[in-house]
Amino acid sequence: MYKFVGIEEDFRAIMEKHNSKWFNVQSVPQCYTFSPEERPGDASIPICNKIPVIDLEKSLISSSEKMKTIKQLLQAGQEFGFFQVINYGIPDNIVTQTMAIFKEFFNMADEQKVNVLSRKGWIYTRSEDEVQNGIHLWRDNIKHPCHPLDKCMQSWPDNPASYREVVGRYIEEMRKLSLKILELICQGLGIESGYFDEQSQVQLLSANNYPPCPDPSLTIGIPKHFDPSLITIIYQGNVISNGKLRSVEHRAVANARETRTSIAVFINPAPNCIVEPAKVLLNESNRPLYKSILYRDFVNAFKAFGIHTDDIQNET
């Protein structure tokens, strides 16, 4: 990582002088300005207006509707690598309370948020402290492990006071939702029922706060990357399928109008789990495209190649 010390010191001095948050600026500071090759350009122009929308409730109506839902999931995984789900069965109050908790957390003064080095179990990264190739990202971020849930949540933030209770309920619901989606995918691929039950746990949560930006064409919230997770669920790819379903490259751009908060949960196998193409999918005409590998080594390969991802835990 490069570090532009002079630029950073000048920017910090400006913020201290005006006693303001880092994003309350009239123009994008140089230390947040990405090279022309990395910039999103005109972020107001939608790149895709045909995002697949999957109604999970329809899969419960009849066997024929279930098969239609499965077909939609597989098609979305093959063609796009992502999709939006609706009628997913999570109570609205759990979702809204969780989003409210993160907004409250990000709105707290920095001194109320414990630094990464002083609190084991969770990481809060201020925009000023996070760099990508020497340039700051236009976001604040908190992440922490979630499995095993009972153990992990004891070291989560205790401010706001209800953080652990609210986010804990959210994680439990995300686990149920991920298993629901993965079970439908199993049926579509012809894999035995329950194949992912032990392999898929909500291992990590990463919540982002993207404040308004005076010029979103110059900076970025998260650079383009792939997730090494089994499946990522975001509120606002894939070794197992032997290339049938893919992980899409994605990024988060800034916007000029309002603060945006997102909550991502990463469903992964355990670090010592072997990931490989499901044997039921393999035959003489469909040989394995990927070798068997420990999930820990798979994640470490992402690190070795310098691929940006939020789905990284130090213990892996």
Side-chain angles (χ1 to χ4, degrees):
M1 295 290 186
Y2 304 98
K3 196 167 187 178
F4 301 158
V5 178
I7 293 175
E8 288 188 3
E9 289 178 347
D10 289 345
F11 183 56
R12 289 179 186 275
I14 293 173
M15 291 296 98
E16 290 173 3
K17 178 180 179 181
H18 293 280
N19 191 27
S20 179
K21 289 187 175 293
W22 62 268
F23 51 83
N24 289 332
V25 291
Q26 296 299 313
S27 60
V28 176
Q30 187 64 36
C31 57
Y32 283 85
T33 302
F34 280 77
S35 67
E37 297 78 19
E38 298 174 291
R39 295 175 192 172
D42 188 350
S44 64
I45 301 176
I47 298 175
C48 177
N49 57 6
K50 296 182 180 180
I51 297 175
V53 178
I54 313 295
D55 187 342
L56 292 182
E57 193 173 54
K58 288 186 176 180
S59 66
L60 304 175
I61 297 176
S62 64
S63 57
S64 60
E65 285 296 331
K66 184 176 184 179
M67 292 308 300
K68 288 181 182 179
T69 302
I70 290 173
K71 183 178 179 180
Q72 290 175 332
L73 282 171
L74 294 183
Q75 185 174 1
Q78 292 165 353
E79 297 182 8
F80 291 88
F82 66 96
F83 49 86
Q84 178 185 359
V85 294
I86 60 174
N87 296 323
Y88 38 77
I90 300 176
D92 289 342
N93 67 309
I94 291 181
V95 176
T96 56
Q97 287 173 11
T98 304
M99 180 59 74
I101 278 291
F102 282 109
K103 289 182 177 180
E104 184 178 350
F105 175 86
F106 286 119
N107 284 330
M108 292 191 305
D110 282 344
E111 56 267 23
Q112 294 179 276
K113 306 187 190 87
V114 182
N115 186 274
V116 55
L117 298 179
S118 63
R119 187 67 177 266
K120 183 179 179 181
W122 59 283
I123 300 172
Y124 167 63
T125 308
R126 299 179 306 168
S127 179
E128 303 101 294
D129 301 324
E130 187 174 29
V131 293
Q132 177 74 17
N133 294 330
I135 306 299
H136 293 292
L137 301 181
W138 197 268
R139 71 162 184 177
D140 290 331
N141 171 264
I142 180 175
K143 69 178 63 170
H144 53 66
C146 301
H147 181 75
L149 183 57
D150 289 345
K151 179 181 178 180
C152 287
M153 66 190 307
Q154 300 307 314
S155 58
W156 290 355
D158 51 13
N159 190 13
S162 59
Y163 184 101
R164 297 176 183 179
E165 177 186 356
V166 171
V167 177
R169 287 201 303 266
Y170 183 79
I171 294 301
E172 289 176 341
E173 293 296 332
M174 289 298 105
R175 161 77 167 156
K176 296 175 187 176
L177 176 58
S178 66
L179 286 177
K180 185 184 300 184
I181 294 171
L182 290 170
E183 182 62 23
L184 291 171
I185 290 175
C186 273
Q187 294 180 42
L189 293 175
I191 300 175
E192 63 267 26
S193 177
Y195 183 88
F196 292 109
D197 286 3
E198 295 301 322
Q199 298 184 42
S200 58
Q201 299 290 342
V202 180
Q203 297 284 353
L204 186 69
L205 176 145
S206 178
N208 300 295
N209 189 61
Y210 307 102
C213 175
D215 189 347
S217 69
L218 298 178
T219 189
I220 203 162
I222 305 177
K224 59 183 181 181
H225 64 283
F226 296 93
D227 293 338
S229 53
L230 177 62
I231 186 173
T232 302
I233 300 180
I234 302 178
Y235 180 59
Q236 72 125 313
N238 209 330
V239 174
I240 299 295
S241 67
N242 199 38
K244 290 183 180 294
L245 306 179
R246 63 194 183 97
S247 172
V248 67
E249 186 178 51
H250 55 286
R251 63 183 177 181
V253 297
N255 79 92
R257 297 178 299 278
E258 59 186 14
T259 298
R260 183 164 54 91
T261 302
S262 69
I263 309 169
V265 293
F266 301 94
I267 290 82
N268 300 333
N272 60 350
C273 178
I274 295 177
V275 291
E276 60 184 355
K279 291 180 173 54
V280 70
L281 300 180
L282 305 178
N283 52 47
E284 288 297 321
S285 61
N286 187 31
R287 295 187 174 276
L289 300 178
Y290 313 100
K291 66 178 183 179
S292 300
I293 186 173
L294 286 175
Y295 184 69
R296 174 191 298 110
D297 296 335
F298 177 68
V299 171
N300 286 336
F302 265 69
K303 295 180 183 179
F305 280 101
I307 300 175
H308 178 91
T309 177
D310 278 342
D311 185 17
I312 294 291
Q313 290 175 258
N314 292 332
E315 59 265 33
T316 59

